[in-house]
């Protein structure tokens, strides 16, 4: 074989070997498709969920104000009573006797005064003619004054006896719900002290007493100074009662008191709200969750809870950047608002936050973001059956 022919054959064999060793190129995988939402700043209510305890709006102990034996309980225990309604009856006989004795003493004092006045008038008439001495006139007038003072004292004793007789009918000092009786019929009360008979609590409205840490209050005040928070004016700060299942009752209370001193034992500030309770469904002493609305949070973001992840560093969200790559952003979450997290720091307006498909992406890798509407439309299109071809006749 000639040299040119041999070289051509060798080159052909080499090309065949190279063609056999070369591998076909793998097709490049498209970036994963994820559902994103556009982060939009909003003004949302500044709310805090706090634990508090309900207490009566007014509470009054009903006590025996005079000594005596309880004859009868007039009210029904646990019922609503009106102000001035009779609750207990104390035996009035001894008190009536005291009143009669005081009235008799008054009559005696009035008679003594009448006699003294007649004697003094006579002495004053005879004094100019020198028929009585100056000393006798002075004595007659002194007796008149003493008798007049005795009449006043006797009248006061009568009034005191009449008041004590009125205390034999023990009435309700306030309107509210009367508790159980503390004494029974036949008990001797008011002997040396004011015996407790029952207690009346006004439960419409109710007070809700709760507290907030001083550090949290300082943080809110600092945020207000920075323009991130706008606190509501006095009388506009509201609270709602939240049931254990998370449902808020359809009644709104008003924050009406905030202490000016921090409790050194707990480091918190005492607060109080007035809550309506027309249906008497809430009872004093109950521990409840209070959702306090203190104002507005400016420029915050509401992000679905599933889009916020946490690790040892902080909470974070995954963002599809403008270049199509996934970026991690550390965020600060304030509280849960329904199914969302209230994010106050870390996000910027317009960020494409990944809300579905987080398991498909990793930081720095590309991803394709679509809206929830686009994802739903694509899913519906895939689920729609293909049209069948008609058979030719």
């Amino acid at each position: 074989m000639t040299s040119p022919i041999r070289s051509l054959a060798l080159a052909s064999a080499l090309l065949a070997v190279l063609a056999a060793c070369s591998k076909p190129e793998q097709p490049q995988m498209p970036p994963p498709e994820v559902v994103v939402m556009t982060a939009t700043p909003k003004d949302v209510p500044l709310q805090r969920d706090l634990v508090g305890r309900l207490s009566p709006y007014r509470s009054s102990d009903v006590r025996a104000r005079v000594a005596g034996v309880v004859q009868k309980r007039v009210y029904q225990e646990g019922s609503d009573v009106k102000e001035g309604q009779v609750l207990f009856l104390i035996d009035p006989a001894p008190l009536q006797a005291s009143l009669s004795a005081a009235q008799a003493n008054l009559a005696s004092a009035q008679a003594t005064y009448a006699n003294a006045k007649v004697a003094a008038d006579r002495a004053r008439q005879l004094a100019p003619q020198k028929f009585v001495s100056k000393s006798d006139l002075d004595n007659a007038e002194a007796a008149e004054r003493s008798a007049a003072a005795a009449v006043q004292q006797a009248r006061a004793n009568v009034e005191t006896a009449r008041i004590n007789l009125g205390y034999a009918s023990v009435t309700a000092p306030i309107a509210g719900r009367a508790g159980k009786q503390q004494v029974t019929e036949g008990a001797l009360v008011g002997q040396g002290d004011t015996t407790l008979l029952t207690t009346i609590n006004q439960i419409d409205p109710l007070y809700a007493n709760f507290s907030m840490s001083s550090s949290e209050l300082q943080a809110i005040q600092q945020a207000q100074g920075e323009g991130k928070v706008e606190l509501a004016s006095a009388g506009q700060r509201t609270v709602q009662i939240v049931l254990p299942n998370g449902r808020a009752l359809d009644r709104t209370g008003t924050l009406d008191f905030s202490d000016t001193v921090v409790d050194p034992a707990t480091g918190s500030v005492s607060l109080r709200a007035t809550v309506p309770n027309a249906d008497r469904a809430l009872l004093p002493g109950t521990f409840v969750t209070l959702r306090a609305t203190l104002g507005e949070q400016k420029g915050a973001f509401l992000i679905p809870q599933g889009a916020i992840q946490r690790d040892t560093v902080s909470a974070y969200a995954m963002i599809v950047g403008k270049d199509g790559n996934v970026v991690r952003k550390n965020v600060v979450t304030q509280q849960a608002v329904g199914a969302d997290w209230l994010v106050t720091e870390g996000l910027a307006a317009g960020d494409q936050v990944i809300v579905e498909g987080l398991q498909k992406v990793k930081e720095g890798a590309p991803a394709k973001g679509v809206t929830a509407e686009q994802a739903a439309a694509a899913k519906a299109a895939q689920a729609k059956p293909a049209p069948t071809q008609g058979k030719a006749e």
Side-chain angles (χ1 to χ4, degrees):
M1 182 180 294
T2 61
S3 177
I5 297 174
R6 186 183 306 139
S7 299
L8 182 59
L10 186 60
S12 299
L14 182 60
L15 290 175
V17 172
L18 292 175
C21 294
S22 64
K23 296 181 180 179
E25 293 186 359
Q26 297 292 333
Q28 189 175 3
M29 294 294 293
E33 188 174 281
V34 293
V35 178
V36 298
M37 67 166 289
T38 303
T40 305
K42 299 178 180 178
D43 294 342
V44 297
L46 176 64
Q47 294 181 332
R48 293 291 185 274
D49 286 349
L50 305 164
V51 176
R53 191 174 186 179
L54 301 178
S55 65
Y57 186 75
R58 288 192 299 173
S59 183
S60 177
D61 290 339
V62 180
R63 297 180 179 272
R65 303 173 70 174
V66 292
V69 177
V70 177
Q71 284 187 326
K72 186 178 181 182
R73 170 177 57 84
V74 182
Y75 78 102
Q76 182 178 359
E77 294 173 298
S79 63
D80 292 330
V81 297
K82 298 179 180 179
E83 182 178 353
Q85 179 178 335
V86 177
L87 305 180
F88 293 89
L89 294 177
I90 297 175
D91 184 8
L95 301 173
Q96 181 63 58
S98 297
L99 175 59
S100 298
Q103 289 172 335
N105 291 335
L106 174 60
S108 176
Q110 288 173 334
T112 302
Y113 170 71
N115 296 334
K117 186 175 186 308
V118 169
D121 289 341
R122 183 181 300 111
R124 281 190 287 268
Q125 291 174 358
L126 298 176
Q129 288 80 25
K130 306 296 183 179
F131 292 139
V132 294
S133 66
K134 184 70 167 63
S135 177
D136 291 339
L137 175 62
D138 291 342
N139 291 336
E141 290 180 340
E144 181 187 22
R145 290 192 295 268
S146 297
V151 169
Q152 290 183 349
Q153 183 176 4
R155 283 199 180 101
N157 292 338
V158 169
E159 186 63 24
T160 300
R162 185 174 287 113
I163 291 173
N164 288 337
L165 179 59
Y167 289 156
S169 297
V170 183
T171 59
I174 62 173
R177 180 161 294 177
K180 66 179 182 179
Q181 65 180 21
Q182 300 298 318
V183 296
T184 59
E185 290 79 1
L188 179 62
V189 297
Q191 195 70 24
D193 60 356
T194 54
T195 307
L196 177 65
L197 302 180
T198 189
T199 301
I200 299 176
N201 293 315
Q202 181 178 343
I203 60 175
D204 179 30
L206 285 172
Y207 279 139
N209 301 290
F210 57 102
S211 61
M212 181 181 292
S213 67
S214 58
S215 58
E216 187 171 6
L217 280 176
Q218 291 173 355
I220 292 175
Q221 292 171 353
Q222 181 179 354
Q224 183 185 23
E226 296 172 354
K228 298 179 181 178
V229 167
E230 181 179 348
L231 294 178
S233 58
Q236 300 298 320
R237 302 171 189 177
T238 61
V239 298
Q240 277 189 308
I241 304 295
V242 181
L243 298 178
N245 61 6
R247 184 177 68 87
L249 292 181
D250 187 18
R251 64 188 72 186
T252 302
T254 304
L255 186 68
D256 64 352
F257 171 76
S258 176
D259 206 344
T260 57
V261 179
V262 177
D263 186 347
T266 61
S268 60
V269 177
S270 297
L271 303 170
R272 188 186 69 191
T274 304
V275 181
N277 189 34
D279 57 358
R280 310 300 200 274
L282 301 174
L283 296 177
T286 306
F287 286 97
V288 294
T289 299
L290 301 169
R291 182 164 297 161
T293 303
L294 306 177
E296 279 192 341
Q297 184 91 34
K298 299 292 185 180
F301 299 90
L302 291 177
I303 305 300
Q305 294 186 15
I308 302 298
Q309 303 181 82
R310 299 178 186 274
D311 58 14
T312 56
V313 178
S314 70
Y316 65 93
M318 304 301 283
I319 311 297
V320 177
K322 294 182 178 180
D323 58 357
N325 293 328
V326 177
V327 180
R328 166 179 168 146
K329 282 195 174 183
N330 294 337
V331 298
V332 175
T333 58
Q334 192 72 50
Q335 65 185 49
V337 180
D340 299 329
W341 279 115
L342 178 64
V343 178
T344 56
E345 296 181 20
L347 295 179
D351 281 347
Q352 300 296 305
V353 182
I354 300 176
V355 295
E356 293 183 19
L358 286 168
Q359 70 280 3
K360 304 178 186 178
V361 302
K362 63 179 181 178
E363 186 177 0
K368 179 184 178 183
V370 296
T371 64
E373 293 77 9
Q374 292 172 336
K379 187 175 181 180
Q382 292 177 357
K384 186 177 180 181
T388 57
Q389 296 292 336
K391 293 182 179 181
E393 295 182 359

